[in-house]
Amino acid sequence: MGDEKLLERIEDSVCRFEKGLEMELLPAALDSAPAKEILQALNMGIEKARRLFKKGEYALPDFLLAIDTYRAGVNFFKNRVADADKAARRVVIGVVEGDVHDMGKNIVAAVLEACGFQVTDLGKNIPGDQFLETIRSARPDILALSTMMSTTLEGMKDIIEQVKRDFPETMILVGGAPFDPDLARRIGADGYAENVITIPDETKRVLTVAREKKLLKDTGP
Amino acid sequence: MNDIPPAFDMFHDTCKIEDGFLFKDMAVCDLGLETSAPAYLDAVASRIGYRAYDIEKGDRAGTLANIISRGLEAASISGIGKPVRIDGWDKRCVRAGPVLVESPRWALVVDRAVFPHSIYCFFLTLGREFDRVKEADGLFESYVLDGLGSELTERVADSMEKKLRGQLATSGLACSRRFSPGYCDWPLANGQKSLSKFLDTSSIGLTVLSSGAMVPAKSVSGAMIVADRLRILCPCPVCPKKDCPYRREDVWGEYEYPPRT
Ligand code: SF4
């Protein structure tokens, strides 16, 4: 099998969430193609799956299966491609204090990762101080806050106010059951993750705004 | 009325209804629930967003069934519940000992009842092991287990509600549909606080956070109105919120329950 064909198969394997990608195809590909090209094939596969999901041809769980396959592939390359993540935009994500529902956040984190962002996932029920500490040390481009409960919105608002005051260059995305675009704006967020389909575009929109406001360096996705 | 005997087990019918119930770390089969994965397949598939024809493709059904089996094994179900006598009510809330149901809609159910005497409060949980298993590496697996957890929690609560209704009926009492803080117009945080003031959730390994969230996450809390007769089993038949996703259709409209013979 030539390089082209092999790369196409890798792309298809991700999109069709075939098992064993990292056991057979990727080691074989490594003998005949540079790691960067193989990674590119993985990216094209997940992008194809995202388009099918967006068009309604894939249900959400199918898209998640594709993400799992993609992640297995990327993990295979973790130590093989030096500094692959260096240029990636950084996102810190977590569920705010008082809430333990993390399924939505986990999916958004994985989707952003699959779209080329470097994601630091803090987990669930995270106190405001921990978010601030992480921003201080990791200097992310985006802070993504999630909650499924309306009772945690006050706490979320406090975090947003502090981040806006102390780290104005960090853009803030919010998501979860209580939100609509209006509430997201009123709470002080720069963007609103309505669902998994819109999150990559919304993240890019927010970054464009940041760039226009000269808060970002003009690199990355 | 509100003392729980040390090892009361509603799921083995050894109780007096007024004593309440407490059971710990029970397997799905111990509660008389379906134990085979296929019995959950369609419900879980629909919860996670698969359409009926999706699960016929490839080996999706098999993959889902394997994950569901693992989830069913991990569930270690515990529950606590007991009734508290109603002290009074007005248009906005119902007061019963430490329990305050600040819900005009459910106050209406009480207002329309014949001799409403107690609120039966409860907490049920699938346990920490289920949460742990749900933190699977794979996003797909974790998502399926999340859907299963929600489905199983509902089924445990349905089973408890059915048993309680049956037991109450043998004493000639009627019992409303169950309702939970955070739904209808009962505020989440205050509702949870008030229920957890009345029931010792630590005895089933459950923590209620001040926001109203529960740890383990796959848990459910709630209450039911107990009365001699109920004219409505829940506020839905008289509720103006027509597009409510939680509206219950299978209730006795304006008819009395139990029906007069
Ligand atoms: S329709 Fe909805 S809000 Fe109204 S009583 Fe029923 S569940 Fe509650």
Side-chain angles (χ1 to χ4, degrees), chain A residues 17 19 56-62 64-65 67-68 71 97-103 106-107 110-111 124-125 149-152, chain B residues 48-51 54 57 60 63 131 134-135 137-144 146 188-189 209-217:
Chain A
F17 38 89
K19 285 189 189 127
E57 285 177 35
Y58 268 9
L60 175 59
D62 288 337
L64 300 185
L65 279 166
I67 291 179
D68 282 341
R71 278 170 146 188
E97 188 165 24
D99 194 353
V100 293
H101 303 96
D102 61 353
M103 199 63 240
N106 292 346
I107 293 174
V111 170
K124 59 194 172 193
N125 195 17
M149 306 172 76
S150 52
T151 47
T152 55
Chain B
I48 64 175
Y50 271 142
R51 295 144 293 194
D54 285 326
K57 288 187 221 157
R60 283 189 178 82
T63 308
D131 271 9
K134 198 166 71 66
E135 313 267 295
D137 275 349
L139 203 52
F140 174 78
E141 180 162 346
S142 174
Y143 188 54
V144 173
D146 192 71
L188 175 64
L209 307 182
S210 59
S211 62
M214 291 180 277
V215 181

Side-chain angles (χ1 to χ4, degrees), chain A residues 4-20:
Chain A
E4 284 293 299
K5 277 241 163 71
L6 197 53
L7 293 175
E8 255 172 47
R9 269 204 65 194
I10 290 171
E11 189 182 321
D12 269 6
S13 289
V14 171
C15 183
R16 292 205 226 126
F17 38 89
E18 286 165 4
K19 285 189 189 127

Side-chain angles (χ1 to χ4, degrees), chain B residues 105-106 183-185 234-236 239-241 244-248:
Chain B
R105 289 192 178 115
W106 282 93
Y183 293 88
C184 278
D185 51 358
C234 69
C236 301
C239 176
K241 204 174 167 200
C244 171
Y246 304 105
R247 173 173 285 278
R248 300 183 235 210

Side-chain angles (χ1 to χ4, degrees), chain B:
Chain B
M1 170 167 186
N2 296 320
D3 296 331
I4 309 181
F8 167 72
D9 177 359
M10 81 166 301
F11 282 93
H12 290 116
D13 300 319
T14 56
C15 60
K16 280 194 274 154
I17 199 74
E18 63 273 21
D19 293 333
F21 66 84
L22 173 67
F23 62 90
K24 290 183 194 174
D25 302 327
M26 291 175 85
V28 171
C29 59
D30 295 333
L31 301 187
L33 296 170
E34 290 282 359
T35 53
S36 73
Y40 295 84
L41 190 62
D42 288 347
V44 172
S46 141
R47 275 182 188 271
I48 64 175
Y50 271 142
R51 295 144 293 194
Y53 58 83
D54 285 326
I55 52 170
E56 283 157 19
K57 288 187 221 157
D59 189 33
R60 283 189 178 82
T63 308
L64 282 176
N66 279 337
I67 299 172
I68 291 172
S69 292
R70 276 202 293 283
L72 291 174
E73 266 171 37
S76 173
I77 307 163
S78 304
I80 185 170
K82 60 177 173 173
V84 54
R85 188 168 292 281
I86 292 176
D87 299 320
W89 68 93
D90 57 26
K91 280 191 176 354
R92 287 167 297 119
C93 64
V94 186
R95 215 172 271 282
V99 179
L100 182 64
V101 180
E102 296 168 288
S103 161
R105 289 192 178 115
W106 282 93
L108 184 73
V109 174
V110 173
D111 194 51
R112 291 198 173 187
V114 178
F115 292 120
H117 26 87
S118 52
I119 299 179
Y120 207 112
C121 307
F122 68 88
F123 283 92
L124 302 164
T125 179
L126 300 191
R128 283 173 199 262
E129 179 59 10
F130 191 90
D131 271 9
R132 200 192 58 75
V133 170
K134 198 166 71 66
E135 313 267 295
D137 275 349
L139 203 52
F140 174 78
E141 180 162 346
S142 174
Y143 188 54
V144 173
L145 289 170
D146 192 71
L148 171 68
S150 304
E151 178 64 24
L152 192 54
T153 314
E154 280 299 302
R155 291 195 192 189
V156 172
D158 282 349
S159 158
M160 178 218 62
E161 182 181 329
K162 201 168 148 204
K163 279 183 187 251
L164 268 182
R165 183 165 293 111
Q167 286 166 343
L168 286 161
T170 61
S171 314
L173 294 171
C175 144
S176 76
R177 296 294 295 268
R178 68 174 190 272
F179 56 104
S180 300
Y183 293 88
C184 278
D185 51 358
W186 190 8
L188 175 64
N190 286 352
Q192 291 284 71
K193 198 163 144 195
S194 145
L195 288 176
S196 58
K197 235 195 259 174
F198 176 55
L199 294 170
D200 175 19
T201 58
S202 66
S203 64
I204 56 166
L206 192 152
T207 309
V208 180
L209 307 182
S210 59
S211 62
M214 291 180 277
V215 181
K218 290 300 172 190
S219 303
V220 60
S221 63
M224 288 171 279
I225 310 288
V226 181
D228 275 9
R229 306 185 76 78
L230 286 162
R231 293 205 173 88
I232 42 174
L233 283 188
C234 69
C236 301
V238 291
C239 176
K241 204 174 167 200
K242 295 290 174 222
D243 59 348
C244 171
Y246 304 105
R247 173 173 285 278
R248 300 183 235 210
E249 304 291 353
D250 55 336
V251 285
W252 292 78
E254 286 291 332
Y255 302 101
E256 290 199 359
Y257 180 83
R260 283 185 199 280
T261 48

